[in-house]
Amino acid sequence: MRPPAALMVAAAILLMLAGVDATVETTCKAAADEDAHVNYVFCVSELSKHYQSSDADTWGLAKIAANMGVNNAYGTIHDIERLLAKPGMDAKTKVTLGQCQGLYDNMKFTFAGAYDEINGRNYAAGKEEAAKAVSLAHQCDDAFVKVAVPSPLKQRSLYSVQTAIVCTAITNLIK
């Protein structure tokens, strides 16, 4: 005797939500369907770059997203160091870059904290850490606005925010 079709559909959904047969594409689609702030193209593009993403379940993809945030924060700190080393920079930009350097230094720890909490299956705390990263990126952006200087870190900021959004949205899919 075959099980009812509704039971089969429910079982398939449970398996997908548990991470079985999760792919980057299906996970990003589910995340984007649940959270309108998730940029599906960004999610797929960036997660797919990670060497472990093809074998990762939903839990693994959430951790990969947090790790992407750590890597971006380190990259931003290196960008800031290069910018600060350039001769002839005006004082306002130099001071603001110094402020952002501290913010991105904190951000690498918040994303690392998100990774650790998600890895420990403390999802609420992981999402809180990711939210702190968004705040830190906005604080850097705001610092440039206050001194009326265009931010040379705008793309890094956008990446940080979208990474935190993706990390949170994927974490929300874990059941």
Side-chain angles (χ1 to χ4, degrees):
M1 176 170 20
R2 288 182 47 178
L7 184 60
M8 295 296 288
V9 170
I13 290 170
L14 284 173
L15 288 174
M16 188 175 95
L17 290 175
V20 177
D21 293 329
T23 65
V24 170
E25 292 81 6
T26 59
T27 303
C28 289
K29 171 105 173 69
D33 288 347
E34 291 294 319
D35 184 343
H37 296 101
V38 172
N39 179 323
Y40 172 79
V41 173
F42 174 89
C43 182
V44 171
S45 172
E46 294 306 307
L47 286 176
S48 295
K49 291 177 185 177
H50 195 279
Y51 72 98
Q52 292 178 321
S53 66
S54 63
D55 297 325
D57 59 6
T58 306
W59 178 61
L61 291 172
K63 294 188 300 180
I64 288 170
N67 189 57
M68 288 169 23
V70 172
N71 292 338
N72 182 64
Y74 272 111
T76 305
I77 291 166
H78 291 298
D79 287 352
I80 292 169
E81 289 169 353
R82 281 192 291 276
L83 289 167
L84 288 171
K86 286 185 176 181
M89 182 176 296
D90 66 279
K92 288 193 299 189
T93 302
K94 191 174 248 187
V95 167
T96 308
L97 281 170
Q99 291 170 348
C100 288
Q101 187 172 23
L103 293 167
Y104 275 90
D105 191 55
N106 288 338
M107 188 186 297
K108 72 182 180 196
F109 292 112
T110 64
F111 273 120
Y115 180 97
D116 290 344
E117 295 295 352
I118 294 165
N119 189 49
R121 301 196 184 269
N122 187 355
Y123 305 126
K127 293 185 289 185
E128 284 177 25
E129 291 297 313
K132 289 177 190 175
V134 171
S135 174
L136 293 166
H138 289 314
Q139 288 175 53
C140 176
D141 293 341
D142 293 346
F144 279 102
V145 169
K146 284 180 187 172
V147 295
V149 173
S151 173
L153 306 174
K154 195 66 179 163
Q155 289 304 312
R156 290 289 195 171
S157 174
L158 292 170
Y159 188 98
S160 299
V161 169
Q162 191 55 223
T163 300
I165 290 169
V166 166
C167 180
T168 300
I170 292 174
T171 302
N172 283 334
L173 298 175
I174 302 168
K175 302 294 178 200

